[in-house]
Amino acid sequence: MKNHFDIIIVGSGILGAFHAYHAAKLGKKILLTEKDQYPAQATVRNFGQVVPSGMGNDWFNYGVRGTEIYNQIQSEFDISIRNNGSVYIASDADERQLIHELKSTMDSRGYQAQLLTTNQCLAKWPALKSDYCKEALFFPQEVSGEPEKLIHQLLKYLTYKFSNLTYAPFTTIIDCFVSGGRVKTINNRQEEFTAEKVIVCNGGEFKLLFADLFRDSGIITSKLQMLRTRPMPEVALEGNILTGLTIRRYESFQECASYSSLKTPEHLLELKKWGIHILFKKATDGSIIIGDSHEYADVAHTDDLGFSQSEYINQLMLNEAKRIVNFDVTLIASSWSGFYSQHNEKDIVEIDIEDKIHIRTAIGGKGMTTSAGYAERSIKSIFAM
Ligand SMILES: Cc1cc2nc3c(=O)[nH]c(=O)nc-3n(C[C@H](O)[C@H](O)[C@H](O)COP(=O)(O)OP(=O)(O)OC[C@H]3O[C@@H](n4cnc5c(N)ncnc54)[C@H](O)[C@@H]3O)c2cc1C
């Protein structure tokens, strides 16, 4: 039947796209839908950092597997993956202690990690300031993608590689329910498509489908502010650059022994209040993405987060960035807000309705790193393999 599929996937962000990839490899007939002209939410508004080293436990493994998958696809088709590694720059004694502890954990896992002295860092990244960079932990095998390119290329790859996959942009699923042992979906053109199973990867969109369920789900929306400098090809800052406040924030460090006794120095208190940690990512055009901050609201109050940017938060970020690097971070060419959904007690929200409709959302701030690996496990569990 023309309008019947093994699987319909709602949402073509990174999580939906990788569910489609793993299901397509199993030979399933797939309809991958996207409400917009192309995905325009968290999946294109991020840094594109693929950093398994920052993830806790299982999610570290999803990140490592995700990196393998990115590299495999990149070897067949250009999805913008580059291998320049990730580095965590420690700026004081507490952060140095944490990077040493994470190095031991990574050694025990057999995951390549190198401690770098200040001089080694300055030789590799001359844009760093010597008085900030006390020591660093480098993961040479980690990769990054170009957020504005990656998903578009991935969707092209999926349609070129798999004749069993149909991609349908401009297709908003406005209803989805189990009927007669199948799932029926209705789209914005009132067309009806059926499937054996539907996977909903709606990201931060909670009004179109299952609105009441999401309102009581405990899901939180996070708003992030991001800045991009004008192209600075002369600035040597390749790879995923993560700094002291990231060491104080990421889950892998929270699992380190000294994390529980970590104190926040006075000068970082205001930054922490706004969920700021400073990351840099040099894009292929030479511009440098700088971020980010975090403000939160539950699903019922997401609109209260607004769409505008707080100049105060941007200034806090830039002032901290000035402590870290020696180029002019105030030469900003653009700025934007990004939003992702997360759950404070769960690493991801998985809701299964009658073993037919499978909601997978709220992957949080780790989706570019872990979606490829997590979706592999998710598809296996949906098909009980
Ligand atoms: C500023 C920022 C920086 C980040 N940096 C990083 C990073 O460096 N590394 C990292 O690992 N992660 C990062 N993240 C997190 C990462 O971007 C997200 O975890 C990830 O993109 C979430 O993907 P998703 O597919 O779940 O959601 P989304 O990207 O929101 O995609 C969901 C898609 O579903 C579509 N959709 C929703 N409802 C419907 C419907 N009813 N019908 C049809 N289509 C629908 C939407 O239009 C959307 O395109 C960052 C996030 C932000 C915001």
Side-chain angles (χ1 to χ4, degrees):
M1 262 191 318
K2 197 165 143 280
N3 286 358
H4 184 72
F5 294 83
D6 294 324
I7 308 173
I8 295 173
I9 297 173
V10 180
S12 303
I14 198 76
L15 194 54
F18 273 115
H19 274 84
Y21 169 74
H22 291 294
K25 282 177 68 177
L26 297 176
K28 305 285 181 192
K29 186 182 170 195
I30 298 159
L31 177 65
L32 173 62
T33 66
E34 169 53 49
K35 68 178 171 56
D36 294 328
Q37 182 185 353
Y38 37 72
Q41 303 303 319
T43 295
V44 296
R45 300 187 191 191
N46 57 67
F47 289 95
Q49 296 191 345
V50 181
V51 282
S53 53
M55 310 287 134
N57 283 327
D58 286 354
W59 293 84
F60 166 76
N61 294 325
Y62 292 141
V64 172
R65 177 70 185 126
T67 306
E68 279 170 19
I69 294 167
Y70 277 132
N71 285 332
Q72 169 58 40
I73 297 175
Q74 180 66 33
S75 71
E76 293 176 50
F77 193 88
D78 182 12
I79 55 166
S80 83
I81 293 297
R82 290 183 290 156
N83 168 224
N84 287 315
S86 306
V87 65
Y88 296 82
I89 315 282
S91 66
D92 63 21
D94 287 346
E95 294 161 9
R96 286 184 68 189
Q97 174 66 24
L98 284 167
I99 64 171
H100 279 259
E101 290 173 20
L102 188 63
K103 158 95 170 118
S104 300
T105 305
M106 293 303 182
D107 286 348
S108 67
R109 290 175 179 166
Y111 191 68
Q112 208 184 342
Q114 299 165 1
L115 286 164
L116 301 180
T117 62
T118 303
N119 284 344
Q120 286 171 319
C121 288
L122 298 186
K124 193 165 170 51
W125 299 281
L128 292 173
K129 281 189 172 167
S130 57
D131 54 349
Y132 183 88
C133 175
K134 300 287 190 292
E135 200 177 4
L137 186 59
F138 182 50
F139 296 92
Q141 70 281 43
E142 296 194 347
V143 304
S144 65
E146 297 294 289
E148 288 175 5
K149 192 172 169 202
L150 198 159
I151 190 69
H152 305 292
Q153 291 300 101
L154 182 61
L155 292 169
K156 273 188 208 159
Y157 166 79
L158 292 177
T159 48
Y160 133 88
K161 173 99 176 168
F162 300 107
S163 57
N164 49 329
L165 184 149
T166 306
Y167 172 53
F170 287 124
T171 302
T172 308
I173 304 300
I174 56 171
D175 206 356
C176 173
F177 52 94
V178 180
S179 167
R182 295 177 157 185
V183 192
K184 277 192 188 172
T185 66
I186 313 289
N187 70 23
N188 52 310
R189 294 178 289 278
Q190 296 301 321
E191 293 163 336
E192 186 178 303
F193 290 88
T194 58
E196 297 307 310
K197 285 178 179 285
V198 167
I199 304 175
V200 181
C201 298
N202 51 314
E205 167 51 63
F206 299 116
K207 293 172 184 161
L208 291 168
L209 290 174
F210 309 111
D212 293 336
L213 187 156
F214 285 128
R215 208 164 29 243
D216 299 328
S217 62
I219 291 176
I220 309 278
T221 301
S222 179
K223 174 184 178 184
L224 291 79
Q225 292 191 190
M226 301 283 279
L227 302 155
R228 185 191 285 273
T229 67
R230 63 193 198 197
M232 298 179 169
E234 70 286 359
V235 171
L237 203 62
E238 307 301 332
N240 302 319
I241 312 291
L242 306 101
T243 65
L245 278 160
T246 309
I247 295 170
R248 294 167 175 273
R249 182 179 174 94
Y250 270 13
E251 282 188 12
S252 54
F253 294 101
Q254 290 176 19
E255 289 170 358
C256 292
S258 68
Y259 189 83
S260 56
S261 54
L262 187 66
K263 301 268 183 308
T264 305
E266 186 72 25
H267 68 278
L268 296 179
L269 286 175
E270 187 65 6
L271 296 154
K272 281 201 93 173
K273 181 176 154 195
W274 296 100
I276 292 171
H277 63 139
I278 301 299
L279 305 100
F280 301 88
K281 160 74 190 305
K282 188 174 172 188
T284 42
D285 71 353
S287 65
I288 292 162
I289 308 174
I290 305 173
D292 54 24
S293 58
H294 294 78
E295 294 171 272
Y296 303 99
D298 62 26
V299 168
H301 298 92
T302 294
D303 293 336
D304 291 346
L305 289 170
F307 51 85
S308 64
Q309 293 221 318
S310 151
E311 191 50 32
Y312 177 68
I313 291 177
N314 281 347
Q315 276 312 319
L316 284 176
M317 292 199 291
L318 289 176
N319 288 343
E320 181 64 1
K322 280 180 203 164
R323 290 203 319 125
I324 303 169
V325 290
N326 57 24
F327 60 90
D328 188 353
V329 294
T330 63
L331 299 175
I332 296 299
S334 64
S335 61
W336 66 95
S337 301
F339 300 83
Y340 61 70
S341 59
Q342 66 177 69
H343 194 289
N344 283 347
E345 278 129 43
K346 299 173 183 170
D347 292 323
I348 190 163
V349 169
E350 300 174 328
I351 302 171
D352 301 307
I353 303 171
E354 296 184 45
D355 197 29
K356 289 277 174 197
I357 300 172
H358 305 276
I359 298 170
R360 300 289 184 263
T361 193
I363 195 166
K366 56 191 179 299
M368 302 309 289
T369 302
T370 58
S371 288
Y374 163 77
E376 184 171 47
R377 205 274 288 149
S378 174
I379 285 290
K380 280 186 186 153
S381 77
I382 287 169
F383 289 97
M385 293 166 64

